[in-house]
Amino acid sequence: MPPPDAAAGQRLAEQRCAACHAVGRTGASPRANAPAFRDLHNRYPVDQLAEALAEGIVTGHPDMPAFTFDRAEIEAFLAYLRSLER
């Protein structure tokens, strides 16, 4: 299996998440209470997000849309999140 594509993960983040979350290395989240992706690894072990992405993210607030990722999208998305840790 080829290595996960962090660039594809970045595109997913930009398409599905950037309306609320800061998805890059800098900048504030458009929605004040949405964590910046570059800080997620400080809150959660990033690899543990895989199951939530496959089953559908469940949050404590009603504004976050329900969505799921397929396996390739999960691997790419997690590769992108890991790239932000550096």
Side-chain angles (χ1 to χ4, degrees):
M1 187 162 104
D5 182 359
Q10 180 177 1
R11 288 189 297 276
L12 283 170
E14 290 168 352
Q15 293 167 355
R16 298 186 188 179
C17 311
C20 296
H21 295 270
V23 298
R25 294 189 182 280
T26 62
S29 291
R31 187 175 188 95
N33 63 342
F37 281 7
R38 65 183 168 274
D39 297 329
L40 285 180
H41 70 279
N42 294 320
R43 294 177 171 216
Y44 313 98
V46 169
D47 289 329
Q48 289 184 3
L49 294 173
E51 184 176 345
L53 292 168
E55 294 178 0
I57 295 287
V58 177
T59 64
H61 62 86
D63 296 336
M64 186 156 163
F67 60 87
T68 58
F69 286 60
D70 66 31
R71 184 171 179 87
E73 290 172 329
I74 291 168
E75 293 301 322
F77 189 74
L78 294 180
Y80 177 61
L81 291 180
R82 285 191 294 270
S83 78
L84 294 174
E85 293 177 19
R86 299 183 201 122

